[in-house]
Amino acid sequence: GMVIVPTPGSAASVVIGKPAAGSSSFVRIPGSDRVYRAAVGGRSRFDRPGAEWRDKVAFQVEKDLVVEVLVRRGAEAIRFYREAGAPAGADGKTLPGDWAMADPPFPMDGDAIDALVRTLTRVRAGEVHHADYPARFEAPLATAVLTLDDGTTHTLVLGGARSHAHEPSLVDA
């Protein structure tokens, strides 16, 4: 079976055996002859490499706190900012305003800008690479600077990956 080894200060270790009915598996405590059926899920829940247990959230901020986004792609720079919101409800909480752009050269798509901000405020890694991985950050596809309502900024660098589906990113470069 699979042995879950305790870390210092943990309560016990458990040997996980064959799957049982439903989302159960047979388990036993090391050194004991007693076998139990426990709702711990199947072995596949635990039988994976250590890297798969890693928290893959690379960057996260509350999207409603973002008041400005500056996106640079080569020589092009586009700046979006949030207009003042309106108080709503009895608590007087201010709702986020609409996205705007100074002198837009084209009609604005507020939903597309909101989707961009939602994407940039929660970056989740599909894979975690070593520091020497050739992500081509020296010639990035784009950079995005997020400014929050308290004035703090976060810079995301989107590497020049070969596949746009999995572009490496570097946060607060």
Side-chain angles (χ1 to χ4, degrees):
M2 174 184 291
V3 179
I4 306 296
V5 179
T7 58
S10 65
S13 58
V14 177
V15 177
I16 301 175
K18 293 181 178 181
S23 62
S24 299
S25 291
F26 292 107
V27 299
R28 72 173 173 79
I29 306 298
S32 172
D33 291 336
R34 290 185 173 209
V35 175
Y36 305 93
R37 192 178 103 202
V40 296
R43 288 177 55 116
S44 63
R45 178 176 286 176
F46 304 97
D47 192 15
R48 51 181 146 163
E52 287 189 28
W53 295 94
R54 173 183 254 166
D55 178 6
K56 293 185 179 174
V57 175
F59 174 74
Q60 184 170 344
V61 295
E62 178 60 43
K63 82 173 188 69
D64 290 343
L65 299 179
V66 177
V67 295
E68 181 180 291
V69 178
L70 175 62
V71 178
R72 287 191 181 104
R73 289 177 25 131
E76 179 184 42
I78 302 173
R79 180 182 158 266
F80 303 107
Y81 62 91
R82 198 179 288 277
E83 295 178 325
D91 63 359
K93 183 178 178 182
T94 301
L95 294 175
D98 292 332
W99 287 104
M101 182 178 183
D103 302 319
F106 44 78
M108 297 260 309
D109 182 348
D111 291 338
I113 298 166
D114 200 53
L116 170 70
V117 173
R118 188 173 41 256
T119 299
L120 294 174
T121 56
R122 188 173 195 295
V123 178
R124 182 170 168 81
E127 299 173 354
V128 178
H129 297 283
H130 57 84
D132 296 333
Y133 181 79
R136 301 195 323 224
F137 288 120
E138 65 281 354
L141 174 68
T143 60
V145 180
L146 305 177
T147 303
L148 306 185
D149 61 358
D150 66 359
T152 60
T153 60
H154 297 281
T155 301
L156 290 85
V157 179
L158 303 176
R162 289 178 186 88
S163 163
H164 293 294
H166 303 289
E167 293 172 359
S169 58
L170 179 66
V171 178
D172 287 333

